[in-house]
Amino acid sequence: MNELDKQISMLDSINKRLVKDSKILKLICDTSNSAFLYYNFEEDSVQTIANWDYFFDFKITEHKDFYKFYDCVEEKYTSPLRETLYIEKRGLKSSTIDVKMKGSRMWLEVESDIIYDDDMHPVEKIIRFKDVTKFNSQNDELTYMAYYDLLTGLYNRNYFVRLLGEFVNRAKENDKKVAVMFLDLDDFRKMNDSLGIIVGDEIVQIFGQFLSELACENVIVSHFSSDLYCIGIYDPCGDFSVDAICRKIFKRSEKPYKLSSGRNLTLTVSIGVAEYPEASTTALELINCAEIVMIGAKTNGKGRVQYFDGSILEEFLKNSKIDNKLKEVDFSQNFVMYFQPQFHTTDKMLRGVEALIRWKDESGKMIRPDVFIPIAEKNGTIVPIGTWIMEESIRIYAGWKQKYHYPMLLSLNVSAIQYKQPDFIDNLINILDKYGVSPCEIELEITESILIDDFKEIIEKLAVLRNKGIKISLDDFGTGYSSLSYLKGLPIDTLKIDKTFIDTVITDENTRIITESIIYMVKRLGLETIAEGVETQEQFDFLNAIDCDNIQGYYLGKPMPPEGIEELIEKVHG
């Protein structure tokens, strides 16, 4: 083979390799999910490579055509894109930016690379356009999850706390106020239980949607959890004052919300408000203070707003301390039973005693039942406490019965929560059997709160108790709105007239008329009457004159330990 043939063969081999390399390069470009633009500065020539038509519906033939890119992206990305396309003006070798395409969900990663000569003059430029929509969508989703609540679309708790912290810091610098409103839908648990969690979620969503309409630059809205929401207001004033926003919320509550099922539902909300700097100087403490007073608003009747003050915090802390103590209390060491005597009005003879629990804490200080019993009902400790009261009272009563054989009743107060326990009746009967006490010697005192949830089931349980010989007394009569309507259907033996009537029965004519009417009506129904809180001779004489059967109060007997009751019984025997 001569020299020419060798050169031809070598050139052919090189050409084949170039063709092969070119195919490989084209394959790489075509499968890279990218488009490339090559620009030669010396020749002022442009070449587009790979998936150009996938990204763009226009051609780039010369350098000045780069302006066409600006119309493709959202306006806020125009300036950063220009800097990336012309990085040679800043002497950079490489630059990358993500841009959002106008009118599309597509995100592009734009990367420019420049080759310079020895004198740092640009020679060649390659610009790569890559589809990063999927990556950015995932990133957007993660960002959304980090900042927003998935159920309502409102800010989530963590991000709200962060933004509220920024409000507080800005307020410190500018001597402004920051208000926090903590909101809770009233009776949401009942709605959730009766309508189901799917409807419950929809309720949370539609109320959250309404709250979102209140948001603006200085008003942030968050969904904390379940039916709890929080609003933060920077420099509250005018249309964005706490009062103005509360009015909007309560006005909306006057109209029902329409569910997807077509059902209309009226929602009310309890609101607690705390402000920087009066209540606290940190975001978290502001939220805590607002939540504390929201609980107070709910306790005081729901559908209202309550503002923070120091006394509320003090009360909350005291209750929290009692709450914790109740969960650790040793019943036999800390609880003691007191008994208040009840007397027949005509002869002042002992009718029976009402069992009353007392709590002596570790320091020896007595904590009143009206303080700790409501807390025990909230945290669930009322059930074991109630069982202990029943057993301890019946045990002491059994000792009196064996020692004195005096015929009297033992009245036991029963919490609504305790009464609703499935094994309540069995536990009571077992305790009576254990100490040899007859059911007919026991009187259970119930309040109107027991009757609220399931009237039919309550009536059935009361009937079972009466069939076993246990007497039923309706306590605190006159304090509820529906007490009169209960009398015709309740299987009760005794009605206790509340102390609030007795307090003014001498000084107020209307009270005298109502009290006399109640006693007349109740006696016609065949029920026994007891007046609570009788403290003076005048009250006693009036009640005796209108034929009230029994009295209970400081006038004839204060609550006393078991030894005091024994002295009373011994006087009767004497």
Side-chain angles (χ1 to χ4, degrees):
M1 180 180 295
N2 58 36
E3 186 64 27
L4 180 60
D5 290 337
K6 286 182 180 180
Q7 290 181 3
I8 292 174
S9 177
M10 184 176 65
L11 290 172
D12 184 56
S13 177
I14 293 172
N15 186 54
K16 287 180 179 179
R17 190 181 315 121
L18 289 173
V19 170
K20 182 178 180 180
D21 290 345
S22 178
K23 287 182 177 180
I24 292 173
L25 179 61
K26 185 177 185 305
L27 181 62
I28 291 172
C29 290
D30 291 344
T31 58
S32 67
N33 197 29
S34 299
F36 298 89
L37 184 150
Y38 169 79
Y39 177 70
N40 188 294
F41 284 86
E42 184 178 353
E43 298 175 358
D44 190 23
S45 62
V46 175
Q47 183 178 356
T48 56
I49 308 168
N51 298 296
W52 187 264
D53 293 336
Y54 173 76
F55 295 102
F56 307 109
D57 59 359
F58 55 83
K59 300 296 183 182
I60 300 292
T61 58
E62 51 187 334
H63 206 225
K64 65 179 182 179
D65 289 340
F66 280 17
Y67 76 88
K68 296 179 180 179
F69 289 117
Y70 308 147
D71 294 331
C72 304
V73 300
E74 292 185 355
E75 185 175 353
K76 65 180 179 179
Y77 297 106
T78 301
S79 180
L81 177 62
R82 183 182 293 110
E83 292 182 356
T84 299
L85 295 177
Y86 293 100
I87 60 172
E88 65 273 11
K89 293 183 178 181
R90 294 180 290 155
L92 300 178
K93 291 185 177 181
S94 181
S95 177
T96 305
I97 186 177
D98 285 0
V99 296
K100 181 80 160 40
M101 301 294 283
K102 186 184 295 183
S104 168
R105 297 182 62 186
M106 180 181 289
W107 282 85
L108 287 186
E109 180 184 77
V110 183
E111 180 184 4
S112 290
D113 291 280
I114 297 283
I115 298 174
Y116 294 91
D117 61 17
D118 293 339
D119 296 325
M120 286 301 294
H121 295 132
V123 178
E124 296 174 295
K125 174 163 58 178
I126 186 78
I127 304 173
R128 177 177 60 84
F129 303 89
K130 181 180 179 181
D131 186 349
V132 290
T133 305
K134 182 176 181 180
F135 173 80
N136 277 335
S137 295
Q138 291 173 340
N139 189 54
D140 287 346
E141 185 175 346
L142 290 174
T143 301
Y144 186 88
M145 292 172 66
Y147 296 150
Y148 296 91
D149 170 65
L150 297 180
L151 183 61
T152 63
L154 300 173
Y155 289 136
N156 62 27
R157 177 167 45 193
N158 290 339
Y159 192 52
F160 177 85
V161 172
R162 174 177 158 186
L163 293 177
L164 185 63
E166 294 175 3
F167 273 7
V168 171
N169 290 335
R170 182 148 54 108
K172 289 177 182 177
E173 295 175 359
N174 300 320
D175 194 25
K176 299 291 185 180
K177 289 186 176 183
V178 174
V180 173
M181 302 170 61
F182 203 94
L183 298 83
D184 182 23
L185 290 176
D186 296 325
D187 300 317
F188 176 74
R189 180 176 295 179
K190 289 183 180 178
M191 291 186 285
N192 202 43
D193 290 344
S194 60
L195 301 177
I197 59 174
I198 302 299
V199 176
D201 283 351
E202 185 178 3
I203 291 170
V204 170
Q205 287 174 328
I206 60 175
F207 188 72
Q209 184 177 9
F210 160 67
L211 291 182
S212 69
E213 298 170 4
L214 305 176
C216 62
E217 182 180 0
N218 285 348
V219 179
I220 52 176
V221 184
S222 167
H223 176 226
F224 264 37
S225 64
S226 184
D227 61 326
L228 301 177
Y229 306 83
C230 208
I231 298 175
I233 312 170
Y234 177 81
D235 189 21
C237 59
D239 290 339
F240 304 107
S241 67
V242 171
D243 287 344
I245 290 177
C246 283
R247 283 197 298 271
K248 291 177 184 177
I249 293 172
F250 290 135
K251 185 173 179 60
R252 181 62 185 87
S253 296
E254 295 173 1
K255 299 184 298 181
Y257 291 82
K258 190 167 187 177
L259 303 179
S260 58
S261 63
R263 177 172 185 160
N264 288 325
L265 200 65
T266 300
L267 301 177
T268 62
V269 60
S270 297
I271 305 173
V273 180
E275 289 192 343
Y276 163 88
E278 288 83 1
S280 179
T281 57
T282 68
L284 283 175
E285 288 181 3
L286 276 174
I287 294 169
N288 289 338
C289 291
E291 182 178 13
I292 289 169
V293 291
M294 179 278 294
I295 295 171
K298 208 169 209 36
T299 303
N300 293 331
K302 304 177 182 178
R304 61 182 62 200
V305 59
Q306 185 156 329
Y307 290 81
F308 178 87
D309 62 43
S311 63
I312 293 176
L313 179 59
E314 185 178 346
E315 181 71 15
F316 175 80
L317 294 175
K318 183 181 75 174
N319 289 345
S320 296
K321 187 176 181 180
I322 292 174
D323 184 15
N324 293 330
K325 284 183 177 181
L326 276 172
K327 295 172 183 177
E328 301 173 357
V329 70
D330 183 335
F331 291 177
S332 60
Q333 294 294 321
N334 298 104
F335 288 143
V336 293
M337 292 308 305
Y338 272 51
F339 300 86
Q340 185 168 26
Q342 300 168 341
F343 298 92
H344 297 296
T345 309
T346 52
D347 57 12
K348 296 185 180 180
M349 293 295 289
L350 187 63
R351 171 193 185 260
V353 295
E354 178 183 355
L356 303 168
I357 189 172
R358 296 291 185 265
W359 180 12
K360 185 181 294 185
D361 67 13
E362 62 277 0
S363 65
K365 178 183 177 182
M366 283 289 192
I367 302 175
R368 300 193 318 272
D370 61 329
V371 172
F372 73 84
I373 290 297
I375 298 172
E377 289 180 329
K378 288 181 180 178
N379 66 18
T381 55
I382 191 63
V383 175
I385 290 174
T387 301
W388 183 87
I389 291 172
M390 283 196 309
E391 176 147 9
E392 184 66 7
S393 302
I394 291 171
R395 182 189 68 80
I396 294 171
Y397 177 85
W400 295 335
K401 177 184 175 184
Q402 185 177 6
K403 184 176 181 180
Y404 299 107
H405 304 286
Y406 183 82
M408 66 177 185
L409 292 174
L410 172 63
S411 293
L412 299 171
N413 290 284
V414 181
S415 161
I417 297 172
Q418 181 188 6
Y419 182 83
K420 292 170 186 175
Q421 298 303 304
D423 56 354
F424 170 72
I425 294 177
D426 290 339
N427 284 344
L428 175 57
I429 298 302
N430 290 336
I431 293 171
L432 292 174
D433 290 342
K434 178 179 178 180
Y435 294 103
V437 174
S438 171
C440 65
E441 297 173 300
I442 300 298
E443 184 174 66
L444 292 185
E445 297 192 8
I446 64 170
T447 61
E448 189 176 315
S449 61
I450 287 181
L451 310 170
I452 291 175
D453 289 336
D454 193 333
F455 191 78
K456 182 180 178 182
E457 182 181 337
I458 299 303
I459 295 297
E460 292 173 353
K461 189 174 283 190
L462 289 175
V464 171
L465 289 165
R466 288 191 79 209
N467 288 336
K468 292 182 180 295
I470 295 172
K471 295 181 182 296
I472 305 297
S473 172
L474 182 60
D475 197 9
D476 298 334
F477 183 79
T479 59
Y481 292 108
S482 308
S483 297
L484 284 173
S485 67
Y486 291 141
L487 294 182
K488 63 182 180 181
L490 274 179
I492 61 175
D493 303 277
T494 307
L495 185 138
K496 298 186 77 173
I497 303 170
D498 190 68
K499 183 180 183 298
T500 55
F501 280 89
I502 308 305
D503 286 342
T504 57
V505 75
I506 301 301
T507 58
D508 183 71
E509 184 179 356
N510 290 334
T511 303
R512 287 199 302 274
I513 293 171
I514 293 171
T515 304
E516 187 172 358
S517 300
I518 289 172
I519 290 175
Y520 174 77
M521 173 186 64
V522 169
K523 290 178 73 69
R524 289 288 301 272
L525 292 172
L527 303 180
E528 190 176 2
T529 55
I530 302 177
E532 296 183 283
V534 180
E535 299 180 352
T536 68
Q537 178 73 48
E538 291 82 4
Q539 291 171 345
F540 175 84
D541 290 342
F542 172 76
L543 292 165
N544 189 26
I546 62 174
D547 294 328
C548 181
D549 297 312
N550 308 287
I551 67 163
Q552 178 178 341
Y554 280 26
Y555 173 61
L556 289 181
K558 297 180 179 181
M560 57 189 73
E563 302 81 48
I565 298 298
E566 291 191 20
E567 290 178 7
L568 279 177
I569 298 174
E570 287 173 353
K571 285 181 182 179
V572 173
H573 274 271

